[in-house]
């Protein structure tokens, strides 16, 4: 009798009629064969085998270079279950509309069946997915981003407990591109895109959208968070999980080289994008990184901003939509000076200088996590790492101080739900527009975000040793428009204060928005920064925060009566605390 996975493969083959079916077993030999086929047909270009051994360049269709949120749908039975921030289609409408696009879609193509495990091989928290795809580039990327083949198949046996994801490139037309999630069936359908989060279904589709739905049902958390360890001079490591909207340096923070290494503070990387967290029997919240690789934005990455990843990508990596130098090396804006003469741009055309980009702005590297020098020794820990603190952050030129601690769990959830970032000129052409992105989950929460806030509020009391909650802002600017804080490796100074707060060892002052470090509580030795700059970084301006209250009131209004009352209570309490402080005359 066919197993559930075989039945689903047969059903998908009847719909998409591939010319052949290949089951991916995770073996080296099968992987090499796949790479050789892609080198032969031009899907991949080999890079310099001395400086970038086993590394490849892929150029995607120029119309297919990023996640496409407008065609991403949550197809729950009830529209209200998707909520006001997700696109919604009924499951019946979605299937009727999109099955027509899948019909015969693989006619002259190979169908690859990719069983994969999200999470460490032995972890009780890991979950099996199966992606069916007609893109060999997707298969090669999945080899890096997840654990493929034998491990998930053995774990699955004859069970139907897997998340099926059907993917086809279709005709790559943006008009016939859909990324659909059926949360009740735990099913994903994606057609018309071969790119990143649209096509590597283990990542945003499963590990965030479907998993967040499962997590709410099963009392755990699936979050868009990096995970880092900070080891202090005593040898004790605290783990921190942090959520930031895009363009806030999440991957760089995850792989940061500590500026306090000589003082004995070292940072290690558990994950750079997604965290699955469960309450453990010792009362801690345990986090695993469900991914096995990093899929990071290339432009701006260099030896200063992220030396660890620059080392990691020197082998076994795939680069997508970056430039190619005459010596066969990848190149992107910000890697190191000007592009060498003769560099080919991301579309495969000679770069003529001028303002045209060599690498597409969202070009990426895909690299095995294990290759990162900063990888944590507990990266594969089946029990996960205990989280001491949550960090939420955004890009705010004013308003938010460098760091503050929430008053308690419920206040922390409110702080996270009001998270925001200001757009940069590079993104919209207009600076300073504040976008709310609660918990950095706006594009990734697989259900009604009002209920997601409710889930967060309910989880706190269920975690006996709950993480403390902090907000950070590396991007505050002075009157001259310059950043006040140096960022990068210096951010460890803020992590150190956070860990000391957790250990009840460091000082803070209570302000209406939460606890802000005293200037003395931050370790600033060796940092050339003026006292007045630190004071400005830590300043809480009641007038700014009163304006902020209006903006958050409007945002929460979108959720209507589904919004937990506790969020409004927190809003009122903040208003009350702000109204009590008198603005000091300057
Ligand atoms: C990502 C994203 O690629 O958040 O991780 O867009
Ligand atoms: Mn992400």
């Amino acid at each position: 009798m066919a197993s559930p996975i075989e039945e689903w493969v047969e059903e998908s083959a009847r719909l998409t009629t591939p010319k052949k079916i290949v089951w991916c077993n995770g073996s080296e030999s099968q992987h090499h064969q796949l790479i050789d086929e892609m080198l032969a047909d031009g899907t991949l270009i080999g890079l310099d085998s001395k400086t970038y051994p086993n590394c490849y360049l892929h150029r995607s269709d120029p119309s297919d270079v990023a996640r496409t949120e407008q065609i991403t749908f949550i197809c729950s039975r009830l529209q209200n279950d998707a909520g006001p921030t997700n696109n919604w289609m009924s499951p019946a409408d979605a299937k009727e509309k999109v099955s027509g696009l899948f019909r015969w879609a693989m006619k002259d193509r190979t169908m690859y069946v990719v069983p994969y495990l999200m999470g460490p091989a032995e972890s009780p928290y890991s979950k099996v997915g199966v992606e069916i795809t007609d893109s060999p580039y997707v298969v090669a990327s999945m080899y890096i981003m997840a654990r493929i083949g034998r491990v998930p198949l053995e774990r699955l046996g004859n069970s139907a407990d897997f998340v099926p994801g059907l993917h086809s490139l279709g005709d790559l037309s943006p008009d016939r591109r859909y990324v659909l999630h059926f949360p009740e069936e735990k099913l994903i359908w994606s057609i018309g895109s071969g790119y990143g989060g649209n096509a590597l279904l283990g990542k945003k589709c499963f590990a965030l959208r479907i998993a967040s739905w499962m997590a709410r049902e099963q009392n755990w958390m699936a979050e868009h968070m990096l995970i880092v360890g900070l080891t202090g001079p005593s040898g004790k490591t605290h783990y921190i999980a942090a959520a930031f909207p895009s363009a806030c340096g999440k991957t760089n923070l995850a792989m940061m080289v500590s500026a306090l290494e000589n003082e004995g503070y070292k940072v290690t990387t558990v994950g750079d994008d997604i965290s699955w967290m469960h309450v453990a029997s010792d009362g801690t919240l345990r986090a695993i990184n469900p991914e096995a690789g990093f899929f990071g934005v290339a432009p701006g990455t260099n030896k200063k901003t992220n030396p660890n990843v620059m080392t990691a990508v020197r082998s076994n990596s795939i680069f997508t939509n970056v430039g190619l130098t005459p010596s066969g090396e990848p190149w992107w804006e910000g890697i190191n000076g000007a592009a060498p003469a003769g560099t080919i741009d991301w579309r495969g055309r000679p770069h003529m200088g001028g303002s045209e980009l060599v690498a597409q702005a969202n070009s990426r590297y895909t690299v095995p996590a294990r290759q990162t020098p900063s990888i944590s020794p507990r990266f594969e820990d089946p029990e996960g790492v205990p989280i001491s603190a949550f960090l939420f952050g955004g890009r705010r030129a004013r308003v938010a101080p460098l760091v503050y601690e929430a008053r308690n769990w419920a206040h922390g959830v409110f702080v996270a739900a009001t998270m925001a970032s200001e757009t940069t000129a590079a993104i919209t052409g207009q600076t300073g527009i504040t976008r709310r992105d609660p918990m950095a989950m706006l594009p990734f929460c697989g259900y009604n975000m009002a209920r997601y806030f409710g889930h967060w509020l309910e989880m706190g009391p269920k975690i006996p040793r709950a993480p403390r909650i902090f907000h950070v802002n590396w991007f505050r600017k002075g009157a001259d428009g310059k950043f006040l804080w140096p960022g990068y490796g210096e951010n460890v100074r803020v992590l150190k204060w956070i860990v000391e707060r957790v250990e009840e060892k460091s000082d803070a002052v209570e302000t209406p928005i939460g606890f802000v470090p005293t200037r003395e509580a931050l370790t600033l030795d060796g940092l050339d920064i003026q006292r007045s700059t630190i004071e400005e970084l830590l300043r809480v301006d009641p007038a700014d925060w009163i304006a902020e209250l209006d903006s958050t009131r409007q945002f929460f209004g979108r959720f209507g009566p589904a919004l937990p009352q506790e969020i409004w209570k927190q809003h009122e309490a903040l208003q009350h605390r702000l109204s009590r402080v008198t603005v000091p005359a300057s």
Side-chain angles (χ1 to χ4, degrees), residues 67 69 195-197 203-204 208 224 244-247 250-251 272-274 291 295-297 362 364 440 443-444:
R67 282 188 294 106
E69 282 166 23
Y195 198 81
K203 193 172 179 64
K204 304 300 188 183
L208 287 176
H224 190 202
F244 297 87
S246 61
K250 201 165 149 201
T251 302
D272 82 327
D273 197 38
I274 299 175
E291 300 188 282
F295 179 68
V297 175
N362 189 35
R364 300 278 177 146
F444 305 118

